C-alpha cells in the first residue's frame, strides 16, 4: 500500500516515541495504524458541542484538511525545498469529527496514477548495492517505470523492486522455474503453466485481486505486457501445427481480448520465442530461441486490429527493445523502424562492443560498452538527442556483446530517468546495483521531457483522464492540450475529457504540451474507441483429413459434455511393471523434500505420489527402485490428485481446472476447465485402471450418482453418463467425507468425515450402472481391497453387502494384489502391525518396532492428522515391501517382508 507521496507504507505499529525508527520488514506493504492528537480531539469535541454535527463537519473541513499541492514534476531544481523535506508522516492528521455515520463527507476516490509517482533516488553516495535472496533468472519493468520485478525461482519468490526507494519492497510466492510473469501500468500477471491459471496483482495495493484460467488452448510459452500499458497482453502457446499460436489477453477480465488479426499470421512464423513489449503495449518483438535461431517476428496492434510479420532481417538478434511508443526497435543492428514493409538500414552489427538500449520511461537511451582496460566492467552513458550527459562504470554487468553472456541480457539493465538512476543485475545474478545517473545534469538551459505513457483508449460517455509526468530541471508552469474538443489540462498536468456518448470515430489524436521558462515539450497521443466494432480474425481453412474435429464444449454449466461410449470403469491395456526392489538390508530409509500432506497410488502399485506443500511439489516415488524419480511443481496447497495405471491427474478446485500428466514422465498432456458451479472436494481413481477420474462434491447429471460424484473419462476429461443407480445410498460427498476407489476401479468406499454415524457406503460400478449398499454404523474410513471384493475399516472387514467378515480390528488393504494389514493394540499403547498375504490363516510377519508404534508418538491419531491410515502404510505383496510414513512425514521407511518373489 502506498501513502500520499507514493511510498510503501509498512504495517508495523508505532507509538509517538518511535515514529522516527527504521522499519526492519522490507517486504511488508500494509498501511500503518494512524493516531490522532489529544489536544485536537478535545477541540473537535468542543466544536461539536457548540455548533452541532453540521458545524463540526464544516469546521473540520476548513481547519484540518489541507489542499492537495502535488505537482507533476519529477526533477525539480536542486534548491527546491521539497527535496530537503523528510518523508511525510501519515499520522500527522487531525482527528475525525464525531458525527453520525450518515452525515460524514464522502472521501474522494484515490487516483491510482497519483499513487505511483517516480521520484529521484535518495541515498548517500553515488552507488547502492542490494543483496537478493537468490539468483535472478528473469526481470521486467512495470507500473510505468515505478517497479522492477525479479524472479528468483530456486527461492520460489518474485521480488518487487521499487525504483524510487531503491530497494525490494515485496516478495511474492511462485512455483519455481516454470513461472511466467509480466507487468503493465497498474497490474502484475503471474502465470503458473502447470495450472494454466493467471494470478493478477494490483500494483497500488500490492495484493492479488483476481484469478482466472488461461482462456486459450495449449500450454503457455510466454506472455508480455507493456510496462506502461493497461493491456491487452500478448500470449504465445505451444501449438505445434495450424495457425500461428498467438492470442491477446484482456487484463481486466482475464478473458480473450477484443483484438482481431487484419489477416491470419503466416503459419511459418517462429513459435518458440521470447517476447519483448513496447511500454505502451502497441508492439511486441519475438526473439526465437535455440542455438541456430535467426530473425524475429513483430506484432503490431492498433486498437482492436493486429498484424504479425517477420522482421526484415535474417541475422541472429541477441537482444531487442522498443522505444516507449513502439515505433522503433533497438538491436545490435542499430535503431530500426518497427513498421511493416519498411526495410532496415543495417543488415550487420553496428558496433559489436556497444549495446544501445531505450530508457524504461521517456525518449532517453543508454549505451552499454566495455570500459577501457577493464575486462569485467562496462561503461553506461545516458543520452538524450545523441548527446552524452553522464557516464558511470560498472563491474560485472551483463555484456550482451560477449559470447559467454546469456541472450536477451537487456532484461538485466534498466535506466529510469525519472528516478535519476540505472539499475542492473550483475553477472552473479544475486544482487541489484543502483547508480545515480541524471541525463539532465549540467544542462545550462531549461530542459523538459514527458516520460509518462498515455492511455491508448477511451470509452464514449465515460470520463477520460491522463496524468502527464514531466522530467525537468526547472518548474513546469504551462500545460495545454490541443486537437481534442472539450479536453482541458490543469496546473497539475492532468488532462481531463468526457467523450460524447455518441462518439463513433475509432481513434482520435491530440497533442499535450508542457512548458517552462520559454521552452516547451510536446507529446502526440492516439486513443482508440473501445466501443468501435472489433475485427473478426479470418478463420483458416481446415482440411478435414488433417485437422481432427474437437468436441464442442458445453453451452451451459448444467449440461455436461458426455464422453461417447465411455464406461464408468476403463480397464488399462498396460500391464503392471511392479517388481521386487533390490535392498541392501531388511530396512531402507528414503528422505523426502518436506512433510507429506497427501498421497495416492498409481501404476498398479508401482508408484506412490506424495504432495509436499513446503516444497510446492508432487513427488513421484518408484517402488521398483525405492527412489524419488520425478517431481512436479505446483502453485498452491489447495489441490486434489489421483493416479491410474499410466496417468496422473491434478485438480485445482478454486480454479476448477483439471490437468492430466503422463505418470512415468510427469509431462503435461491435457487440461480442461470444469463447467460446474461447485468446487470439487475429493478425487479418486483406480490405480490399475485407465479411468475414470472420480470427483466428489459435484452433483453432476442431477446427482444421478446419489453421492454427489462426477465421473470423468480420462482421455477427453469429459463426463461419463450414468444410466442406472439402484440400492441403498445414505452417504454423500456433498458433506465432508472420505472417498476411496479399489485398484481395479470397480468398487468405491465412502464414509462421512464429521457426521455420526460415519456410515459404511459401498458403490459397485458396472458398465454405466451403480449399485449401492449401506451400513449405518461408525466404522471409520471405508477402504476397498485392490480387487474390490472386500471393504476394510477400523472395525474389520465387510463384504460388498456391508456384512462383517472376520475379526473386528483395524485393517488396511494392500495397494495391489491380495493381502491386507491389521493394526492391533490400544491407542497410546504399544501397537503392532501384522502383514497378511493371500493366505488368511497365518500372517506373513508381525512388526512391533515400526517408527511411531512405541506408544509414545502415535502417527495414526495425533502427529499428522491430515494423513489417513491408508496413506501412511503401503503394503505391496508382489514386491514384498511395506512402506511406512513416520510421524514426521518427511521420509519413508521401507521394510522387506519375507523373501522377494521370483
Amino acid at each position: 500500500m502506498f501513502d500520499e507521496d507514493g511510498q510503501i507504507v509498512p504495517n508495523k505499529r508505532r507509538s509517538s516515541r518511535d515514529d522516527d525508527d527504521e522499519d526492519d520488514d522490507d517486504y511488508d506493504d500494509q498501511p500503518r495504524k494512524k493516531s490522532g492528537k489529544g489536544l485536537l480531539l478535545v477541540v473537535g469535541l468542543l466544536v461539536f458541542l457548540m455548533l452541532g454535527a453540521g458545524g463540526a463537519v464544516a469546521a473540520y473541513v476548513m481547519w484540518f484538511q489541507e489542499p492537495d499541492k502535488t505537482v507533476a514534476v519529477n526533477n525539480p531544481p536542486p534548491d527546491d525545498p521539497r527535496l530537503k523535506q523528510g518523508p511525510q508522516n501519515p499520522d500527522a492528521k487531525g482527528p475525525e469529527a464525531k458525527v453520525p455515520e450518515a452525515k460524514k463527507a464522502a472521501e474522494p476516490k484515490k487516483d491510482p496514477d497519483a499513487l505511483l509517482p517516480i521520484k529521484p533516488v535518495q541515498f548517500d553516495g553515488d552507488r547502492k548495492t542490494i543483496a537478493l535472496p537468490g539468483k535472478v533468472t528473469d526481470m521486467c519493468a512495470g507500473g510505468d517505470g515505478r517497479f522492477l520485478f525479479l524472479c528468483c525461482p530456486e527461492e520460489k519468490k518474485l521480488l518487487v523492486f521499487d525504483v524510487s526507494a531503491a530497494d525490494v519492497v515485496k516478495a511474492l510466492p511462485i512455483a519455481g522455474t516454470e513461472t511466467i510473469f509480466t507487468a503493465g501500468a497498474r497490474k502484475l500477471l503471474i502465470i503458473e503453466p502447470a495450472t494454466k491459471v493467471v494470478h493478477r496483482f494490483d500494483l497500488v495495493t500490492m495484493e492479488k485481486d483476481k484469478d482466472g484460467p488461461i482462456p486459450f488452448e495449449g500450454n503457455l510459452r510466454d506472455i508480455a505486457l507493456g510496462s506502461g500499458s493497461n493491456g491487452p497482453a500478448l500470449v504465445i502457446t505451444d501449438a505445434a501445427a495450424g495457425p500461428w499460436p498467438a492470442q491477446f489477453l484482456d487484463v481486466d477480465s482475464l478473458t480473450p481480448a477484443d483484438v482481431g488479426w487484419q489477416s491470419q499470421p503466416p503459419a511459418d512464423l517462429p513459435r518458440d520465442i521470447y517476447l519483448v513489449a513496447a511500454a505502451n503495449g502497441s508492439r511486441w518483438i519475438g526473439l526465437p530461441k535455440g542455438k541456430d535461431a535467426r530473425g524475429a517476428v513483430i506484432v503490431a496492434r492498433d486498437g482492436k486490429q493486429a498484424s504479425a510479420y517477420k522482421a526484415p532481417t535474417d541475422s541472429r538478434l541477441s537482444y531487442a527493445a522498443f522505444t516507449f511508443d513502439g515505433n522503433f526497435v533497438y538491436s545490435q543492428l542499430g535503431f530500426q523502424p518497427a513498421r511493416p514493409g519498411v526495410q532496415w538500414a543495417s543488415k550487420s552489427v553496428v558496433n559489436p562492443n556497444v549495446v544501445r538500449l531505450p530508457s524504461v520511461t521517456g525518449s532517453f537511451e543508454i549505451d552499454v560498452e566495455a570500459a577501457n582496460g577493464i575486462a569485467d566492467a562496462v561503461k553506461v552513458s545516458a543520452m538524450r538527442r545523441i548527446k552524452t550527459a553522464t557516464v558511470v562504470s560498472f563491474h560485472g554487468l551483463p555484456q550482451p556483446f560477449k559470447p559467454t553472456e546469456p541472450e536477451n541480457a537487456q532484461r538485466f539493465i534498466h535506466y529510469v530517468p525519472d528516478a535519476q538512476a540505472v539499475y542492473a543485475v550483475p553477472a552473479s545474478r544475486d544482487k541489484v546495483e543502483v547508480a545515480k545517473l541524471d541525463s539532465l545534469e549540467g544542462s545550462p538551459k531549461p530542459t523538459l521531457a514527458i516520460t509518462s505513457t498515455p492511455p491508448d483508449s477511451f470509452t464514449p460517455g465515460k470520463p477520460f483522464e491522463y496524468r502527464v509526468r514531466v522530467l525537468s530541471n526547472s518548474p513546469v508552469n504551462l500545460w495545454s492540450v490541443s486537437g481534442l474538443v472539450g479536453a482541458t489540462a490543469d496546473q497539475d498536468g492532468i488532462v481531463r475529457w468526457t467523450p460524447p456518448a455518441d462518439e463513433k470515430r475509432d481513434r482520435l489524436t491530440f497533442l499535450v504540451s508542457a512548458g517552462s521558462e520559454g521552452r516547451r515539450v510536446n507529446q502526440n497521443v492516439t486513443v482508440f474507441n473501445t466501443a468501435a466494432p472489433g475485427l473478426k480474425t479470418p478463420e483458416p481453412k481446415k482440411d478435414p483429413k488433417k485437422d481432427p474435429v474437437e468436441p464442442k464444449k458445453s453451452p451451459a454449466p448444467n449440461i455436461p459434455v458426455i464422453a461417447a461410449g465411455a464406461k464408468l470403469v476403463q480397464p488399462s491395456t498396460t500391464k503392471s511393471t511392479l517388481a521386487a526392489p533390490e535392498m541392501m538390508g531388511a530396512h531402507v530409509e528414503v528422505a523426502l523434500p518436506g512433510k507429506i500432506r497427501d498421497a495416492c497410488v498409481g501404476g498398479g502399485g508401482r508408484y506412490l505420489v506424495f504432495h509436499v506443500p513446503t516444497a510446492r511439489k508432487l513427488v513421484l516415488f518408484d517402488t521398483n527402485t525405492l527412489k524419488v524419480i520425478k517431481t512436479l511443481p505446483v502453485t498452491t496447497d489447495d489441490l486434489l490428485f489421483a493416479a491410474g495405471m499410466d496417468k496422473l491427474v491434478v485438480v485445482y478446485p478454486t480454479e476448477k481446472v483439471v490437468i492430466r500428466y503422463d505418470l512415468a514422465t510427469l509431462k503435461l498432456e491435457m487440461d480442461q476447465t470444469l463447467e460446474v458451479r461447485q468446487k470439487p472436494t475429493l478425487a479418486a481413481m483406480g490405480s490399475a485402471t485407465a479411468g475414470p477420474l472420480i470427483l466428489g462434491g459435484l452433483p453432476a447429471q442431477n446427482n444421478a450418482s446419489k453421492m454427489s460424484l462426477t465421473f470423468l473419462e480420462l482421455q477427453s476429461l469429459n463426463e461419463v453418463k450414468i444410466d442406472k443407480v439402484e440400492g441403498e445410498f445414505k452417504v454423500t460427498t456433498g458433506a465432508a467425507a472420505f472417498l476411496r476407489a479399489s485398484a481395479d476401479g470397480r468398487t468405491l468406499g465412502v464414509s462421512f468425515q464429521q457426521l455420526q454415524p460415519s456410515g459404511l457406503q459401498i458403490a459397485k460400478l458396472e458398465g454405466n450402472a451403480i449399485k449401492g449398499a449401506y451400513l449405518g454404523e461408525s466404522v471409520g474410513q471405508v477402504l476397498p481391497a485392490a480387487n474390490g471384493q472386500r471393504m476394510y475399516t477400523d472395525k474389520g472387514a465387510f463384504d460388498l453387502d456391508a456384512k462383517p467378515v472376520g475379526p473386528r480390528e483395524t485393517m488396511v488393504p494392500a495397494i495391489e494384489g491380495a493381502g491386507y494389514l491389521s493394526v492391533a493394540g490400544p491407542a497410546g499403547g504399544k501397537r503392532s502391525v501384522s502383514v497378511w498375504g493371500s493366505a488368511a490363516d497365518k500372517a506373513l510377519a508381525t512388526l512391533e518396532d515400526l517408527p511411531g508404534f512405541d506408544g509414545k508418538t502415535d502417527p495414526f491419531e495425533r502427529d499428522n492428522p491430515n494423513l489417513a491410515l491408508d496413506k501412511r502404510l503401503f503394503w505391496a505383496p508382489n514386491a514384498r515391501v511395506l512402506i511406512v510414513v513416520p510421524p514426521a512425514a518427511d521420509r519413508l521407511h521401507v521394510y522387506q517382508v519375507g523373501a522377494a518373489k521370483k
Side-chain angles (χ1 to χ4, degrees):
M1 184 74 75
F2 298 92
D3 64 13
E4 293 174 352
D5 294 321
Q7 302 300 315
I8 297 287
V9 181
N11 69 349
K12 185 174 180 180
R13 296 187 178 184
R14 302 171 184 244
S15 66
S16 59
R17 284 178 283 181
D18 67 352
D19 279 345
D20 297 327
D21 291 345
E22 294 290 336
D23 193 339
D24 295 330
D25 190 356
D26 290 337
Y27 298 160
D28 202 342
D29 65 338
Q30 299 299 319
R32 287 182 290 186
K33 184 176 180 181
K34 298 180 180 180
S35 61
K37 305 294 183 181
L39 179 59
L40 295 180
L41 179 61
V42 172
V43 173
L45 291 175
L46 291 175
V47 172
F48 175 80
L49 293 174
M50 291 187 297
L51 302 179
V57 173
Y60 172 74
V61 171
M62 291 187 293
W63 187 10
F64 295 118
Q65 291 188 335
E66 295 183 359
D68 184 6
K69 297 179 180 180
T70 303
V71 178
V73 179
N74 282 322
N75 189 17
D79 58 349
D80 193 310
R82 288 174 294 171
L83 294 180
K84 301 178 182 180
Q85 295 176 355
Q88 297 298 313
N89 184 355
D91 293 344
K93 290 185 177 182
E96 295 184 359
K98 301 295 182 178
V99 297
E101 189 69 24
K103 295 184 179 181
K104 280 186 178 180
E107 292 186 2
K109 292 183 178 180
K110 291 185 176 181
D111 176 11
D113 292 313
L115 295 174
L116 290 178
I118 304 177
K119 297 184 178 182
V121 292
Q122 299 288 325
F123 54 80
D124 295 334
D126 295 327
R127 297 295 186 87
K128 181 180 180 181
T129 300
I130 299 91
L132 302 177
K135 290 193 174 183
V136 176
T137 59
D138 203 357
M139 185 176 177
C140 78
D144 200 15
R146 175 62 186 268
F147 299 108
L148 301 175
F149 300 93
L150 303 94
C151 181
C152 296
E154 293 300 322
E155 290 67 34
K156 295 181 172 57
K157 292 179 179 179
L158 182 66
L159 307 180
V160 182
F161 190 94
D162 187 332
V163 301
S164 293
D167 210 347
V168 175
V169 294
K170 185 95 172 181
L172 301 172
I174 59 175
T177 56
E178 300 300 319
T179 301
I180 298 173
F181 62 97
T182 188
R186 298 291 169 259
K187 303 295 179 181
L188 165 70
L189 304 180
I190 300 178
I191 300 95
E192 305 295 356
T195 62
K196 291 195 66 177
V197 173
V198 183
H199 305 282
R200 192 184 72 191
F201 290 78
D202 183 271
L203 295 185
V204 174
T205 64
M206 285 296 170
E207 299 294 336
K208 183 162 65 174
D209 61 5
K210 192 178 181 66
D211 284 329
I214 297 174
F216 308 119
E217 297 294 332
N219 303 316
L220 189 71
R221 283 191 186 274
D222 203 4
I223 184 172
L225 177 64
S227 61
S229 166
N230 292 318
L234 181 64
V235 174
I236 299 291
T237 60
D238 67 351
W244 192 58
Q247 310 282 349
F248 293 93
L249 178 72
D250 186 277
V251 176
D252 291 329
S253 64
L254 300 185
T255 60
D258 186 16
V259 177
W261 298 107
Q262 292 178 342
S263 60
Q264 189 67 41
D268 63 346
L269 290 176
R271 292 169 180 257
D272 190 9
I273 57 179
Y274 175 81
L275 291 173
V276 179
N280 69 349
S282 65
R283 298 290 188 274
W284 292 263
I285 187 167
L287 303 179
K289 301 177 182 178
K291 184 178 179 180
D292 299 322
R294 292 179 174 274
V297 56
I298 295 178
V299 176
R301 180 185 66 86
D302 294 310
K304 297 183 178 182
Q305 301 182 16
S307 60
Y309 55 94
K310 291 182 179 179
T313 178
D314 292 327
S315 300
R316 179 175 180 80
L317 300 182
S318 62
Y319 76 95
F322 286 101
T323 54
F324 82 96
D325 56 9
N327 288 332
F328 295 89
V329 61
Y330 292 79
S331 74
Q332 72 265 35
L333 303 183
F335 186 69
Q336 307 292 350
R339 296 189 300 275
V342 179
Q343 295 300 312
W344 287 5
S346 176
K347 300 292 184 180
S348 59
V349 177
V350 175
N351 188 336
N353 293 320
V354 175
V355 171
R356 180 164 292 176
L357 298 172
S359 56
V360 177
T361 61
S363 301
F364 295 83
E365 55 190 17
I366 58 173
D367 271 2
V368 182
E369 59 180 313
N372 295 330
I374 305 177
D376 66 341
V378 297
K379 180 176 66 176
V380 178
S381 304
M383 301 189 303
R384 185 168 183 265
R385 297 190 179 93
I386 319 300
K387 177 184 177 182
T388 301
T390 308
V391 177
V392 296
S393 294
F394 283 93
H395 288 268
L397 279 190
Q399 300 183 40
F401 40 80
K402 294 179 67 174
T404 56
E405 288 287 345
E407 296 180 357
N408 308 318
Q410 83 282 353
R411 292 175 290 173
F412 303 112
I413 305 174
H414 297 267
Y415 172 45
V416 184
D418 305 280
Q420 298 178 9
V422 60
Y423 308 80
V425 175
S428 62
R429 302 286 190 270
D430 59 355
K431 57 188 174 183
V432 176
E433 300 281 357
V434 183
K436 293 178 180 178
L437 186 62
D438 184 3
S439 65
L440 302 185
E441 183 181 9
S443 296
K445 297 180 180 180
T447 306
L448 302 91
I450 295 179
T451 59
S452 53
T453 305
D456 77 337
S457 63
F458 70 93
T459 300
K462 292 187 178 181
F464 171 90
E465 185 173 298
Y466 169 35
R467 183 180 293 270
V468 184
R469 187 175 63 216
V470 173
L471 182 65
S472 174
N473 58 4
S474 61
V476 178
N477 52 27
L478 175 65
W479 298 93
S480 66
V481 56
S482 57
L484 193 61
V485 177
T488 61
D490 64 17
Q491 62 180 0
D492 292 327
I494 303 176
V495 175
R496 292 184 173 91
W497 172 56
T498 300
D502 58 352
E503 178 61 68
K504 302 297 183 183
R505 289 172 291 180
D506 66 339
R507 72 186 66 194
L508 298 172
T509 301
F510 59 94
L511 189 71
V512 174
S513 300
S516 174
E517 299 184 14
R519 297 183 65 87
R520 177 175 295 210
V521 62
N522 301 321
Q523 184 183 57
N524 287 302
V525 179
T526 298
V527 288
F528 296 90
N529 191 342
T530 61
L535 184 67
K536 187 175 181 181
T537 301
E539 291 288 340
K541 295 182 179 180
K542 291 188 176 182
D543 185 346
K545 295 181 180 180
K546 296 180 180 180
D547 300 324
V549 179
E550 297 180 359
K552 293 183 178 180
K553 288 189 175 182
S554 167
N558 60 344
I559 303 177
V561 175
I562 301 298
K567 303 296 182 183
L568 289 173
V569 179
Q570 292 287 332
S572 175
T573 58
T574 304
K575 294 183 179 180
S576 174
T577 56
L578 181 67
E582 294 183 4
M583 299 179 62
M584 298 300 294
H587 171 231
V588 173
E589 187 174 325
V590 181
L592 297 175
K595 186 174 182 179
I596 300 169
R597 181 177 181 179
D598 201 357
C600 77
V601 180
R606 175 173 176 176
Y607 301 111
L608 302 181
V609 184
F610 299 105
H611 179 205
V612 182
T614 55
R616 284 286 176 97
K617 291 179 179 179
L618 290 180
V619 176
L620 184 62
F621 176 80
D622 187 347
T623 59
N624 281 2
T625 62
L626 302 184
K627 295 180 180 180
V628 173
I629 59 171
K630 293 284 183 180
T631 61
L632 177 68
V634 295
T635 61
T636 177
D637 296 343
D638 182 21
L639 58 84
L640 306 170
F641 59 99
M645 179 63 79
D646 304 302
K647 308 299 179 184
L648 169 69
V649 179
V650 180
V651 181
Y652 291 88
T654 301
E655 295 81 7
K656 300 174 183 177
V657 172
V658 182
I659 306 176
R660 191 188 75 215
Y661 298 88
D662 180 273
L663 179 59
T665 64
L666 295 187
K667 290 185 178 179
L668 188 149
E669 295 182 331
M670 185 181 181
D671 63 89
Q672 183 83 292
T673 300
L674 295 172
E675 297 185 352
V676 295
R677 293 186 176 90
Q678 299 86 353
K679 288 173 54 175
T681 57
L682 299 165
M685 191 189 310
S687 62
T689 71
L693 171 67
I694 308 165
L695 297 179
L698 301 180
Q701 300 175 54
N702 295 320
N703 201 21
S705 68
K706 294 189 177 180
M707 292 179 291
S708 293
L709 297 178
T710 291
F711 299 84
L712 298 183
E713 191 267 337
L714 211 53
Q715 293 304 311
S716 65
L717 296 180
N718 291 330
E719 282 191 39
V720 180
K721 187 178 181 182
I722 301 172
D723 286 336
K724 183 180 179 182
V725 178
E726 59 183 5
E728 190 173 11
F729 295 89
K730 294 295 181 65
V731 180
T732 173
T733 62
F738 291 99
L739 171 66
R740 299 291 188 269
S742 60
D744 66 4
R746 294 184 296 174
T747 308
L748 306 181
V750 191
S751 60
F752 283 121
Q753 188 175 1
Q754 299 173 350
L755 302 179
Q756 294 295 330
S758 60
L760 188 160
Q761 181 68 64
I762 300 171
K764 293 181 289 185
L765 311 180
E766 185 174 351
N768 293 85
I770 305 175
K771 184 177 181 180
Y774 173 76
L775 176 66
E777 295 182 8
S778 292
V779 297
Q781 298 171 46
V782 181
L783 310 173
N787 63 6
Q789 299 304 303
R790 283 282 188 274
M791 287 291 174
Y792 294 98
T793 73
D794 290 344
K795 303 297 183 182
F798 293 81
D799 63 19
L800 297 188
D801 294 322
K803 304 296 183 183
V805 179
R808 306 284 279 180
E809 59 184 357
T810 300
M811 295 182 177
V812 179
I815 61 175
E816 52 84 27
Y820 64 92
L821 304 172
S822 62
V823 181
K830 189 170 184 178
R831 311 183 81 182
S832 62
V833 173
S834 296
V835 184
W836 300 81
S838 57
D841 58 340
K842 185 179 181 180
L844 297 175
T846 297
L847 306 174
E848 297 183 350
D849 58 349
L850 296 179
F853 277 78
D854 56 3
K856 296 179 181 178
T857 305
D858 182 1
F860 303 136
E861 296 181 3
R862 284 182 266 177
D863 281 65
N864 199 344
N866 292 325
L867 281 178
L869 191 59
D870 66 320
K871 298 183 179 183
R872 303 176 187 184
L873 296 173
F874 303 91
W875 161 226
N878 291 328
R880 288 292 195 268
V881 292
L882 171 63
I883 301 171
V884 180
V885 178
D890 61 352
R891 60 194 62 247
L892 304 175
H893 291 277
V894 183
Y895 297 89
Q896 191 176 62
V897 180
K901 186 177 180 180
K902 297 182 181 180

